[in-house]
Amino acid sequence: MSTIYLFIVVFLLSLAIFDLFVGVSNDAVNFLQSAIGARVAKFKTVLVIASIGVGIGAVMSTGMMDVARHGIMSPDQFSFEEVMTIFLAVMVTDVIVLDMFNTLGMPTSTTVSLVFELLGGTFILATLKIASAPSLTYGDLLNSDKALSVIIAIFVSVAIAFVFGCIVMWISRNVFTFNYKNHSKYGIGIFGGIAFTALSYFIFLKGLGKSPYIPDGTKEWINDNTQLLLLATFVVSSIVMQLLHLLKVNVFKFVVLMGTFALAMAFAGNDLVNFIGVPLAGLDSYNDYIANSNGANPTEFMMSSLMESAKTPPFYLMLAGVIMIVAMATSKKAQNVIKTSVDLARQDEGDEMFGSSKAARSIVRASQDCGGFVARYIPSSVGKWIDGRFNKEEVILQDDKAAFDVVRAAVNLVLASMLITIGTNYKLPLSTTYVTFMVAMGTSLADRAWSRESAVFRVTGVLSVIGGWFITAGVAFTGCALVCVIMFYTGIMGKLAFIALVVFLLIRSNRQYKKKSLDTKDEDMFRLMMRTRDPELVWDMLQKHVTKTQANMTEFALQSYNDIINGLETENVRLLRRCDKALRNERVTLKKLRRQELLALRRCPLDLAIERNTWFHIGANSSQQFIYSLRRMLEPIKEHVDNNFNPVPELYSEEFTPVIRKINELMEASVSVMSTRRFDDYRDILTEADTVKDELSALRKKHLDRMQKGKEVNGVNISIVYLNILQESQEFLSIMRHQLRALKKFTEA
């Protein structure tokens, strides 16, 4: 029996390594986004600083491991088998939940999933134990006070982070404005001093000061002299920051890099329990059972040892830190730092990831009404002064790829670091994702990054993310409870079955991610267009973007056209279904691209934007018409093949094959002309397209005559399908002509 549990412990430790890689890959954006979003340094430099913070935070995170041991459950009331069932159910559910949310593209949180999985598994087993032993209560089996404080801390941190982000950013922007270089003469020293002092207190004094590696005498001296240390730190750091400013050193950059280190350290110290807390608790449980059970049945040996504080060997913590650092340095996910929070917080308007929702529209409308009401009671001179401090035309960005300036980046990092470190010091596993995201949303709102053109989309995004968090909590609780019950009643066989399921899900998830990475389209040109301030340069880039979009669409349309015809001739229903799915996906992509290009068009020279606006919309509409025409052609064909109706007669194939060949030649020529923007053969293609359309008209008339004379081949169903193909092929060529002409007019000098 002990061999089975040893296998389970090894599996838990293996999942811990996997969780470290996946968790850091997904969550590294939390502490990298501000430094990379503001472009304060090269990615490698930021990565090195963050790695140092992660390494130190991991080694100092011992106290947080108690959350997994007795933060939710009262382990002295549970047997070894029950505790191992809960731990395995938590890790299995965690993988399933993460896989499900990643597949759906919904936001999630490792902290929330861990806490609610522990709560769900413990609650369901507590319920079963109470049913068999009525003398027990939930208070005996659940650490209800601690669990409640953890849950409250997680969700209250959302509101606190957002409110403090708004307040601190509004004050900071009024002090420094967007043209911070002209308004940093004296305030920069105080700002830098406050930032350094706050981080020093919460990390070096409260964080490292409580470390088990610091001598007790040193800890007592720190506690007795905290106020003096804070005062000295503030005075010295303010003077140093002011001197650095006089020496032309960008203090905000220094604060951002220091905040990156602090947030990375807080992340490792706070979130490490999410990845290795449960597996290490399982290892301790197994070691205690082997050493002290004297051969007792796993269902009878109680886990009182877990009531003691965790004494995690430094080697495990150092190894976890190394794995986290390697994951940051090598993971493609970790290097893709422009995530949801950056897109929602960026200073300029751009392509919005989320659409509009009724709730968001109501919130924006109510906020505007509230703002208008307050504005009526503010003196006009004060209002003008505040508006002058928020003149975004004076914004100083590090380069054209920066999403926001260093002032906002500094506030984001310092404030998030403080909030997370406070939670860590009180052994409350705050969600790093929650805090950093909501701080970023609060600062972007206060910074007036949400204009009337984008506010409803940004609010929808925030509501979607927060909704995803609450869904995570519910799914994690319910899912773990269900898995735990199944494991409890099915025993070892059930546990082994779930282990096999997890292995399968991990393999499938890895394959899907690789496929998704290959299918992801490069949007660097669009991002650059939204950052560039030169309208002429934006116009040049927009022409290239539109050319690429429409040429790719024409190529896709031709491929889909051929697949549809081929699917009918070979009666391949799977091919037709793939075409249907591809057309639906392409429709969504085209909608997104059209919005991107329309946003970029607004940033072009006004005279060109007005002059070429019509041709832009004709070209974009032509791309959409390709989709509509292909779907009109596909639907009756798919129904025909799916129902196993009569195949295509040889007569139809013989008379239509030459036309298909000409359509392919025309479309390929059109793609070549569009891609190279060399329109020398433009007229020849249009003329040839008219000729082929005439041939299709003749075929259509010939086929109608056959149908009217009752000479259909293989029945009326295939005759109607063939007639539809002829009609849509004519429309297909007309769309090609419109698109080619529109692109020529849009891009001509």
Side-chain angles (χ1 to χ4, degrees), residues 13 50 70 121 205 282 309 345 366 470 693 721:
L13 293 174
H70 53 255
L205 300 184
S309 293
F470 281 98
K693 284 177 63 181
V721 168

Side-chain angles (χ1 to χ4, degrees), residues 204-206 208-226 229:
F204 296 105
L205 300 184
K206 298 294 286 183
L208 300 183
K210 289 187 176 182
S211 169
Y213 308 107
I214 303 296
D216 292 338
T218 304
K219 293 180 183 178
E220 292 178 4
W221 186 87
I222 290 175
N223 290 331
D224 294 339
N225 298 277
T226 298
L229 285 171

Side-chain angles (χ1 to χ4, degrees), residues 74 102 187 261 364 389-390 474 493 557 606 640 660 697 723 725:
S74 297
N102 288 337
F261 166 82
V364 171
R389 310 300 284 183
F390 283 84
M493 295 306 298
L606 183 60
H640 185 90
I660 294 178
S697 294
L723 178 63
I725 291 174

Side-chain angles (χ1 to χ4, degrees), residues 6 8 126 160-161 165 189 194 209 213 216 225 241 273 365 415 425 437 478 487-488 548 551 616 645 647 674 701:
L6 176 61
I8 291 175
I160 292 176
I194 293 174
Y213 308 107
D216 292 338
N225 298 277
M241 294 297 176
V273 65
R365 191 174 296 111
L415 191 55
N425 291 332
F437 179 82
T478 307
M487 286 185 179
F488 183 78
K548 182 179 179 181
F616 166 77
F645 290 160
M674 295 168 75
K701 184 177 184 304

Side-chain angles (χ1 to χ4, degrees), residues 259-314:
T260 299
F261 166 82
L263 191 54
M265 182 177 170
F267 162 79
N270 189 78
D271 282 20
L272 189 59
V273 65
N274 302 340
F275 312 132
I276 68 173
V278 169
L280 289 181
L283 177 61
D284 289 343
S285 302
Y286 175 78
N287 289 335
D288 181 47
Y289 172 73
I290 294 298
N292 302 311
S293 66
N294 296 320
N297 193 305
T299 60
E300 299 173 355
F301 184 75
M302 308 307 286
M303 295 307 304
S304 301
S305 61
L306 291 182
M307 293 298 294
E308 301 174 2
S309 293
K311 297 179 181 178
T312 309

Side-chain angles (χ1 to χ4, degrees), residues 31 46-56 261 264 321 325-326 328-329:
F31 51 86
V46 176
L47 194 61
V48 169
I49 293 172
S51 298
I52 297 172
V54 166
I56 295 175
F261 166 82
I325 292 170
V326 171
M328 276 197 305

Side-chain angles (χ1 to χ4, degrees), residues 600-632:
L601 187 64
R602 297 175 185 174
R603 302 173 67 89
C604 295
L606 183 60
D607 56 336
L608 282 173
I610 295 174
E611 179 185 345
R612 309 292 173 87
N613 180 68
T614 300
W615 300 113
F616 166 77
H617 285 288
I618 290 176
N621 289 340
S622 296
S623 295
Q624 292 285 356
Q625 289 301 320
F626 269 133
I627 301 294
Y628 298 144
S629 176
L630 289 168
R631 292 196 64 185
R632 289 195 301 267

Side-chain angles (χ1 to χ4, degrees), residues 228-278:
L228 180 62
L229 285 171
L230 287 176
L231 179 61
T233 302
F234 173 71
V235 173
V236 173
S237 59
S238 296
I239 294 172
V240 171
M241 294 297 176
Q242 193 66 46
L243 290 175
L244 288 175
H245 176 69
L246 295 176
L247 294 174
K248 306 300 182 183
V249 175
N250 192 323
V251 173
F252 287 110
K253 284 187 178 182
F254 177 81
V255 171
V256 169
L257 295 176
M258 180 177 65
T260 299
F261 166 82
L263 191 54
M265 182 177 170
F267 162 79
N270 189 78
D271 282 20
L272 189 59
V273 65
N274 302 340
F275 312 132
I276 68 173
V278 169

